[in-house]
Amino acid sequence: MGVDEDLLKIADLFYNQLSRGEIPAFELPLRTRDNIVYDEKARVWVYGEKEGVRSAKTVKGAYQILKTVCLIEFLKQQLEEGRSSTLRELYYISENWGEAKFRVQSESDFLIEDLEIISSNQREHFHIRPEEDGASVFGPLTVREETRKGDKVIHCQDDVGDAGYLIPNNIDKVEFLEHDAKLVLAVETGGMRDRLIENGFDEAFDCIIIHLKGQPARSTRRLLKRLNHELSLPVMVFTDCDPWSYRIFASVAYGSIKSAHLSRFMATPDARFIGIMPSDIVKYDLPTDKLTERDKDALKAELKDPRFAGDFWQKEIKLQLDLGKKSEQQSLAKYGLDFVTDTYLPEKLN
Amino acid sequence: MGVDEDLLKIADLFYNQLSRGEIPAFELPLRTRDNIVYDEKARVWVYGEKEGVRSAKTVKGAYQILKTVCLIEFLKQQLEEGRSSTLRELYYISENWGEAKFRVQSESDFLIEDLEIISSNQREHFHIRPEEDGASVFGPLTVREETRKGDKVIHCQDDVGDAGYLIPNNIDKVEFLEHDAKLVLAVETGGMRDRLIENGFDEAFDCIIIHLKGQPARSTRRLLKRLNHELSLPVMVFTDCDPWSYRIFASVAYGSIKSAHLSRFMATPDARFIGIMPSDIVKYDLPTDKLTERDKDALKAELKDPRFAGDFWQKEIKLQLDLGKKSEQQSLAKYGLDFVTDTYLPEKLN
């Protein structure tokens, strides 16, 4: 069934409720921290069974239903015309919806998430584009991208510059044709990504190198998920040694609370962490910086985060709090520019 | 003369001073706000004539000279081996320089800038890479990039996905072969960049679209400079309507105080501003946000900034302070997804 039909089903629901003389209403899961449960089978965190009701019984609720209907109409038209828009544009477009105009952008953002949940879609299916830049890809992989001007076939080593293939904001437009890779390496910083390319790590280890650019964009997480799922490639995440980097890993591997309804599409539970660990600071005697108070608080919060409940993380995070230190992936340069590719990564991959 | 010789000349200077029984020392311009002057001919802001002396007379100065020599040795070796490194790696590499080790990264960053100034080079010539991602390019332009694996010829519409051609961190590796463009449009946000591509603005206006990604990286500014200088293409900068966006324009057009010694290579004095102006907020009745106190302070600072001394900027900035409002480029979506390409940009370009 098409996305437009999924959306019209919601409008249908309201229509039928109204024709039966009922007050329009719909139910959806509570999006709160205490309604997040671990799905053993999918190995990701998803929303639990607690539900809330959006009903036109109150004035606020009635406005919400009106806005939902206007939004569905706009999305339907956008899909029909083959157009797309950003969350920000959507907010501004509502300027002309009279009473249904959004007052702040968080309101329209939230409503799009509601629609994702009710209709079991992802916003990309509604042609709502992200603002952020997607990842760059470099390695032995051939893709076919459905572009504005027809399909294009691109080899992510031979047909691109050294900066790699930049994925489009909607990763659904990319199909994997062929590959000659044994693993996917997702790298936090641009400096380290460029180091691996310069050192020829992609060729030496038959490796697809993805630049995460810090906390990865939705399209980047979906790309990693698909590389893992469709091509059965192991995904390794290579980051700095600090609490923010562990969060990057967690969002890749387990999904985020904010988008738990999408974990099944965006999280890669098989992803492995091969970033710098607190025990590596000791093992390799790496240059460090002191943990700030903010770092310490974040580490303590992670100790209680169910995504870090395993022995491995508990031990490492406690060690880091004891050491009082953090370290960057580029600190491996202490042992020269080749240490990361000749020693560190081969040791971690074994 | 090669970069390595430029560097060795500095070491030579110290050697000769020492053999004459003199204390090693060198002079270089003061890098302070009051030593920035406008170069009428180049139409950019550059360092003036005030100079400071780095001398081994003091212990601190002696360490500085030692570090300079170690750094020159490292850079010479890196150039010989055809390698490159980031500013961060450089800092960590100095771990093994004994007494010459940098204590904080700002120290090595600053010394690289010294070397840029003394040797009249850009750090990219020393093969010191930036951390930041470069711009993406989309439009009727064919480039030849000198990649790790030989030269590659890429057409920035036909040979790339919809996300465009991602420039490498060293733009010197890119040569412009052919083009069919009438102008270059540098766009602040990814959402707007994608809007222009979806609407086919590059084809309708024979336009090369560059995504600035906020405050543009060095390689992006050097790319714009070269497109303007080598291909004689007008460069238009399209941003939001707030003080931070005006700074983006100023760094593209006039250079920054921090790197005034590089303005001649990085600034594009011919660049024109076609971003949203305070007078456009009124003219087009655009959706706005209130100026924050930080916004107001930044605007007031810009009123005194010599780069904004012209009538145009003085009038617009004062109007914005009166209005108390700012606006985003995507707010044009109030009038539909085509307004920006059908009305706003054509009006501005005329």
Side-chain angles (χ1 to χ4, degrees):
Chain A
M1 198 167 66
V3 185
D4 46 346
E5 291 172 55
D6 289 344
L7 288 169
L8 286 181
K9 254 185 19 189
I10 303 166
D12 246 17
L13 172 75
F14 299 147
Y15 181 84
N16 291 329
Q17 286 170 331
L18 285 165
S19 33
R20 286 196 305 268
E22 293 167 16
I23 294 170
F26 62 96
E27 291 188 338
L28 78 179
L30 282 182
R31 279 137 73 189
T32 54
R33 191 174 285 261
D34 62 356
N35 192 32
I36 305 279
V37 297
Y38 186 70
D39 179 330
E40 295 281 351
K41 206 173 147 219
R43 289 179 299 146
V44 291
W45 294 84
V46 297
Y47 290 122
E49 301 199 333
K50 293 181 194 162
E51 294 213 319
V53 177
R54 301 276 155 83
S55 153
K57 259 185 198 161
T58 63
V59 176
K60 200 183 147 204
Y63 273 119
Q64 185 96 25
I65 302 263
L66 178 65
K67 287 172 191 190
T68 308
V69 174
C70 286
L71 179 56
I72 289 172
E73 191 184 1
F74 168 75
L75 293 175
K76 183 173 168 287
Q77 193 193 337
Q78 167 164 291
L79 287 165
E80 276 171 8
E81 294 175 0
R83 304 296 296 271
S84 64
S85 51
T86 66
L87 285 173
R88 199 163 288 163
E89 284 177 323
L90 174 63
Y91 163 62
Y92 289 122
I93 280 166
S94 81
E95 285 275 329
N96 300 305
W97 293 358
E99 295 287 322
K101 174 183 160 180
F102 298 114
R103 285 155 310 145
V104 287
Q105 197 192 319
S106 56
E107 213 186 329
S108 43
D109 291 358
F110 208 76
L111 193 53
I112 283 285
E113 283 174 21
D114 279 358
L115 286 189
E116 287 184 318
I117 297 171
I118 317 170
S119 75
S120 298
N121 274 287
Q122 300 163 56
R123 76 179 69 146
E124 288 81 358
H125 301 158
F126 309 145
H127 289 192
I128 292 291
R129 293 188 259 114
E131 289 288 333
E132 328 92 315
D133 239 46
S136 76
V137 179
F138 200 97
L141 172 70
T142 307
V143 298
R144 175 161 50 212
E145 180 182 328
E146 184 193 319
T147 75
R148 192 184 65 170
K149 313 252 287 178
D151 283 4
K152 282 179 196 162
V153 174
I154 296 171
H155 185 279
C156 299
Q157 273 164 336
D158 300 341
D159 300 333
V160 297
D162 279 347
Y165 165 66
L166 195 57
I167 62 169
N169 49 52
N170 186 354
I171 196 69
D172 293 337
K173 296 197 168 174
V174 176
E175 194 185 336
F176 306 136
L177 293 184
E178 274 186 300
H179 79 91
D180 199 22
K182 294 205 182 77
L183 74 138
V184 175
L185 188 62
V187 185
E188 178 176 355
T189 67
M192 181 53 81
R193 181 256 170 218
D194 289 347
R195 161 70 38 233
L196 299 181
I197 304 294
E198 178 176 307
N199 290 8
F201 190 77
D202 51 316
E203 295 192 323
F205 282 78
D206 303 323
C207 173
I208 298 171
I209 294 171
I210 312 275
H211 180 198
L212 291 175
K213 304 183 187 180
Q215 188 68 43
R218 284 168 66 106
S219 54
T220 306
R221 282 181 282 156
R222 296 171 75 224
L223 169 72
L224 291 170
K225 167 77 178 182
R226 287 187 50 201
L227 286 168
N228 174 251
H229 188 75
E230 295 175 25
L231 306 182
S232 302
L233 289 172
V235 170
M236 310 286 178
V237 182
F238 180 24
T239 68
D240 290 340
C241 178
D242 64 46
W244 321 103
S245 298
Y246 309 155
R247 282 195 194 168
I248 290 174
F249 170 70
S251 83
V252 168
Y254 310 117
S256 64
I257 290 164
K258 207 184 147 333
S259 54
H261 58 292
L262 301 174
S263 293
R264 285 189 185 86
F265 313 106
M266 300 215 295
T268 309
D270 286 327
R272 297 280 295 276
F273 185 80
I274 59 164
I276 312 281
M277 296 301 311
S279 53
D280 293 325
I281 292 182
V282 182
K283 180 178 173 193
Y284 296 108
D285 188 22
L286 294 176
T288 56
D289 288 305
K290 268 193 189 168
L291 291 176
T292 64
E293 288 308 312
R294 232 180 113 241
D295 292 333
K296 287 181 198 166
D297 290 344
L299 284 170
K300 284 172 197 162
E302 283 169 3
L303 280 177
K304 290 177 200 150
D305 186 325
R307 298 177 300 174
F308 295 103
D311 283 349
F312 168 80
W313 283 109
Q314 291 288 314
K315 212 175 118 192
E316 291 286 352
I317 292 171
K318 281 173 190 160
L319 173 61
Q320 184 152 30
L321 284 166
D322 285 346
L323 293 172
K325 288 172 184 172
K326 59 184 174 183
S327 197
E328 293 181 328
Q329 47 184 189
Q330 293 192 55
S331 71
L332 296 164
K334 174 183 175 181
Y335 300 108
L337 300 177
D338 294 324
F339 183 76
V340 60
T341 44
D342 286 355
T343 306
Y344 177 86
L345 284 173
E347 281 185 16
K348 285 266 169 167
L349 291 171
N350 276 336
Chain B
M1 198 167 63
V3 184
D4 46 346
E5 291 171 55
D6 289 343
L7 288 168
L8 287 180
K9 254 187 16 188
I10 304 167
D12 245 17
L13 172 75
F14 299 147
Y15 181 82
N16 291 331
Q17 287 170 331
L18 284 165
S19 31
R20 286 195 303 267
E22 295 167 15
I23 294 170
F26 62 96
E27 292 188 337
L28 79 179
L30 282 182
R31 278 137 74 188
T32 53
R33 192 175 284 260
D34 61 357
N35 192 31
I36 305 277
V37 296
Y38 186 69
D39 180 330
E40 295 281 349
K41 206 172 147 221
R43 289 178 298 145
V44 292
W45 293 84
V46 296
Y47 289 123
E49 300 200 332
K50 293 182 195 163
E51 294 214 317
V53 176
R54 301 277 154 82
S55 153
K57 260 184 199 163
T58 63
V59 175
K60 202 183 146 202
Y63 273 120
Q64 184 96 22
I65 301 267
L66 179 66
K67 287 171 192 190
T68 308
V69 174
C70 286
L71 179 56
I72 289 172
E73 191 184 1
F74 168 77
L75 293 176
K76 184 173 168 286
Q77 192 193 335
Q78 166 163 291
L79 286 167
E80 276 169 11
E81 293 174 0
R83 305 296 298 272
S84 65
S85 51
T86 65
L87 285 173
R88 200 164 285 165
E89 284 177 324
L90 173 64
Y91 163 62
Y92 288 122
I93 279 164
S94 81
E95 285 276 327
N96 299 306
W97 293 357
E99 296 287 324
K101 175 184 161 180
F102 298 112
R103 286 155 309 145
V104 287
Q105 197 193 319
S106 56
E107 214 185 330
S108 43
D109 290 359
F110 208 75
L111 194 52
I112 284 284
E113 283 175 21
D114 280 357
L115 287 187
E116 287 184 317
I117 296 171
I118 317 171
S119 76
S120 298
N121 273 288
Q122 300 163 56
R123 77 178 68 145
E124 287 82 358
H125 300 157
F126 308 145
H127 290 191
I128 292 291
R129 291 189 262 113
E131 289 287 333
E132 327 93 317
D133 241 45
S136 76
V137 179
F138 200 97
L141 171 71
T142 307
V143 298
R144 174 159 53 211
E145 180 182 328
E146 185 192 319
T147 76
R148 193 184 66 171
K149 312 252 287 177
D151 284 3
K152 281 177 196 163
V153 174
I154 297 170
H155 185 278
C156 300
Q157 274 166 334
D158 300 342
D159 300 334
V160 298
D162 279 347
Y165 165 65
L166 195 57
I167 62 169
N169 49 53
N170 186 355
I171 196 68
D172 294 337
K173 295 195 169 175
V174 175
E175 194 185 336
F176 306 135
L177 294 184
E178 274 186 301
H179 78 93
D180 199 22
K182 293 206 183 76
L183 74 139
V184 175
L185 189 62
V187 184
E188 178 175 354
T189 67
M192 181 52 78
R193 182 256 170 217
D194 290 347
R195 162 67 41 233
L196 298 183
I197 304 293
E198 179 177 307
N199 291 9
F201 190 76
D202 51 315
E203 295 191 323
F205 282 78
D206 302 323
C207 172
I208 300 170
I209 295 172
I210 312 275
H211 180 197
L212 292 175
K213 304 183 185 178
Q215 188 68 42
R218 284 169 66 105
S219 54
T220 306
R221 282 180 283 155
R222 295 171 76 225
L223 170 72
L224 291 171
K225 166 78 178 182
R226 288 187 51 201
L227 287 168
N228 174 250
H229 187 75
E230 296 174 25
L231 306 182
S232 303
L233 288 172
V235 170
M236 309 285 176
V237 182
F238 181 23
T239 68
D240 289 341
C241 177
D242 63 46
W244 321 103
S245 299
Y246 308 155
R247 283 195 194 167
I248 289 174
F249 169 70
S251 83
V252 168
Y254 311 116
S256 65
I257 289 163
K258 205 182 148 334
S259 53
H261 57 293
L262 300 174
S263 292
R264 285 189 186 86
F265 312 106
M266 301 215 294
T268 308
D270 285 327
R272 297 280 295 274
F273 185 80
I274 58 163
I276 313 280
M277 295 306 309
S279 53
D280 292 326
I281 293 183
V282 181
K283 180 179 173 191
Y284 296 108
D285 187 23
L286 295 176
T288 55
D289 286 306
K290 266 192 191 169
L291 291 176
T292 65
E293 288 307 312
R294 235 181 109 241
D295 291 334
K296 287 181 198 164
D297 291 344
L299 285 171
K300 285 172 195 160
E302 284 169 2
L303 279 178
K304 291 178 198 148
D305 187 324
R307 300 177 300 173
F308 294 103
D311 283 350
F312 169 81
W313 284 110
Q314 291 287 315
K315 212 176 119 190
E316 290 287 353
I317 294 172
K318 282 174 191 162
L319 173 62
Q320 185 151 31
L321 285 165
D322 286 345
L323 293 171
K325 289 173 182 169
K326 58 184 175 183
S327 196
E328 293 180 328
Q329 46 184 190
Q330 293 191 55
S331 71
L332 296 166
K334 174 183 176 183
Y335 300 108
L337 299 177
D338 295 324
F339 182 75
V340 62
T341 44
D342 286 355
T343 306
Y344 178 85
L345 284 174
E347 282 185 13
K348 285 264 171 172
L349 290 171
N350 276 335

